[in-house]
Amino acid sequence: MRYRLLAATGVLALAAGLSGCGSSEPSPGASGSAAPEKLTVWIMRDSMSDALLGRFESGFEASHPGVALDIQIQEWDGIGQKVTSGLASNDAPDVIEVGNTQVAEYAASGGVKDLSDKVADLGGADWLPGLAEPGKIDGRQYGIPWYAANRVVIYNKDLFAKAGVGGPPKTREEWLDVTAKLNKGGYQGIYLAGQNWYTLAGFIWDEGGDLAVKEGEAWRGTLDTPQALAGMDFYTRLQALGKGPKDSDEARPPQADVFAKGDVAQLISTPGGAVAIEKANPGLAGKLGFFPIPGKTAGEPGAVFTGGSDLIIPEASKHHDSAYEVVKALAGEQFQLDMAKEMSYVPNRVSLGGVLDGDEGTAAMAAGAANGHATPNSANWAAVEARNVIKEYMTKALTGADAAAEARAASQVITSILNTKS
């Protein structure tokens, strides 16, 4: 589940020698080779700009004599089957970008190299938790965090000013008060569709709950725990302060189009949503602000789902050592800084979040990313999403059904799906 951020805030011009960059010594696999060692790297369409990838490729090859990179752009449509086939191939790629929540599914095939012994070398203690966790299955690190994106609150500064709201709220309760005040000004305080389950997940995590937990070798759905029900209660209170449909998600209708009409004060989205809003209504350009989703206390932003990408190395790769050098370079500080400034992504390291401080939207996103979480790390989680289990539960709870009873029923379905053997 990955969320494209649409606007780059600037291009960082680096010297041609930028490697992005791992060790400056020759690649272990290249030693003594008469011909270059060719590594195939799969990168997803629109993940990175051509300029950024070009700088990386030329810099990496300059600092790793004897290695040639073949960076191949992959389409999202059908990528799951293509990666699965690639992992089992005799001609497997050497490095693959995958959605962070897909790592468990691919690792279950046995075709992904375990990189647990490389975590310290890669600076793993500084990784964003919500990005690193999906790459770690049963205590072993298969996916290396690459970049992240998460939701923030986009707000209409003019409507805040007209309602006498001085600035963004700092806590969840203050957020409810501010939103109610915006409604009194004749506006829609917030547009929140009833099935925005990633936002619900954040409220559940804030309460100390989860969507599902693993107990020994078995999974258990946990939407019916007191913590998860408290998260749903807050979602219900917030959603009631707007006119969002209770039986649909943020894509139906496109929430950016709703906000663009000019009478909605707040929206939960990735910062890139502002681009779509301004495209639909150019009159809102310069009038949009951003703040992290508020948490229960002023000292910590609310929990958010961290979407993004990881890097994996197939077991079938014939160049494990050199492939690791590529991963190390792409996940390293130098490339992460270049990437963050050009692509407006959150870097994979907590300590690098400040690089985005010059842009209000990405700075808000980076602040929220420090409290990022991931969906349950099961190869079967995609089936839960496909069944719309959580969405259907939310609609029932928001339209008068007994929330606790519906949560128990949804939890039983999640338990069954996650424990199904493939």
Side-chain angles (χ1 to χ4, degrees):
M1 306 299 298
R2 306 171 66 255
Y3 297 87
R4 293 269 76 76
L5 304 183
L6 302 179
T9 57
V11 177
L12 182 65
L14 297 182
L18 171 66
S19 65
C21 273
S23 168
S24 61
E25 297 177 0
S27 165
S31 177
S33 298
E37 181 185 23
K38 186 176 180 180
L39 270 68
T40 300
V41 181
W42 284 4
I43 302 295
M44 298 309 302
R45 173 75 64 189
D46 297 328
S47 285
M48 301 288 152
S49 68
D50 291 342
L52 182 60
L53 289 175
R55 291 199 297 274
F56 173 77
E57 182 176 357
S58 60
F60 185 89
E61 290 178 350
S63 62
H64 294 74
V67 176
L69 298 184
D70 178 17
I71 297 178
Q72 300 179 1
I73 304 303
Q74 305 297 315
E75 303 294 339
W76 284 106
D77 187 28
I79 190 58
Q81 183 56 52
K82 187 169 185 178
V83 171
T84 300
S85 298
L87 294 175
S89 171
N90 291 325
D91 187 28
D94 300 289
V95 177
I96 306 176
E97 174 195 355
V98 299
N100 62 328
T101 61
Q102 298 170 333
V103 177
E105 178 183 354
Y106 298 140
S109 72
V112 181
K113 184 171 176 58
D114 179 3
L115 297 172
S116 301
D117 62 336
K118 304 295 186 183
V119 171
D121 185 46
L122 294 168
D126 194 28
W127 285 340
L128 289 172
L131 195 58
E133 289 167 5
K136 191 174 185 178
I137 296 92
D138 295 330
R140 298 180 178 180
Q141 195 78 41
Y142 295 94
I144 303 304
W146 196 20
Y147 64 88
N150 52 264
R151 289 166 174 76
V152 300
V153 182
I154 301 176
Y155 72 101
N156 186 318
K157 293 181 178 180
D158 281 356
L159 298 189
F160 265 54
K162 289 177 181 178
V165 178
K170 302 298 183 183
T171 67
R172 289 197 337 194
E173 288 303 318
E174 184 184 352
W175 193 16
L176 292 174
D177 292 341
V178 163
T179 304
K181 188 174 184 179
L182 289 161
N183 276 334
K184 291 179 181 178
Y187 317 112
Q188 188 174 172
I190 189 169
Y191 181 83
L192 179 60
Q195 295 181 348
N196 193 333
W197 71 272
Y198 283 116
T199 296
L200 169 64
F203 300 155
I204 291 174
W205 291 323
D206 275 339
E207 297 290 347
D210 212 331
L211 307 175
V213 296
K214 192 173 186 181
E215 299 171 331
E217 296 300 315
W219 284 91
R220 177 171 62 88
T222 53
L223 292 176
D224 56 340
T225 63
Q227 296 86 351
L229 289 170
M232 185 64 213
D233 177 69
F234 181 80
Y235 189 100
T236 301
R237 295 164 66 195
L238 183 65
Q239 203 269 341
L241 295 173
K243 300 176 182 178
K246 300 182 188 304
D247 60 351
S248 187
D249 61 22
E250 58 268 42
R252 299 172 296 139
Q255 61 177 4
D257 291 346
V258 176
F259 191 96
K261 295 177 181 178
D263 60 352
V264 176
Q266 300 174 96
L267 182 71
I268 298 172
S269 170
T270 60
V275 177
I277 291 168
E278 292 177 2
K279 182 178 180 180
N281 183 356
L284 289 176
K287 298 180 180 180
L288 304 181
F290 309 82
F291 59 87
I293 292 175
K296 297 187 72 173
T297 63
E300 184 177 22
V304 291
F305 166 71
T306 303
S309 280
D310 280 18
L311 299 168
I312 62 173
I313 297 175
E315 282 283 11
S317 164
K318 298 178 176 64
H319 312 287
H320 282 172
D321 289 343
S322 294
Y324 173 68
E325 290 298 313
V326 174
V327 170
K328 184 176 181 179
L330 289 170
E333 181 172 336
Q334 200 166 3
F335 181 82
Q336 289 290 307
L337 289 170
D338 191 14
M339 175 202 70
K341 292 181 178 180
E342 176 145 341
M343 303 304 299
S344 297
Y345 292 148
V346 177
N348 62 6
R349 305 182 185 204
V350 174
S351 63
L352 298 181
V355 72
L356 301 173
D357 286 347
D359 180 88
E360 185 180 355
T362 50
M365 183 172 64
N371 194 13
H373 294 253
T375 51
N377 209 359
S378 164
N380 290 348
W381 183 255
V384 175
E385 296 184 22
R387 286 274 299 275
N388 289 327
V389 179
I390 303 176
K391 287 184 176 183
E392 292 173 1
Y393 153 62
M394 294 173 72
T395 292
K396 290 174 181 177
L398 290 171
T399 53
D402 184 283
E406 295 300 335
R408 283 193 297 273
S411 295
Q412 290 170 1
V413 175
I414 292 173
T415 298
S416 176
I417 293 173
L418 294 186
N419 289 310
T420 299
K421 302 299 182 181
S422 59

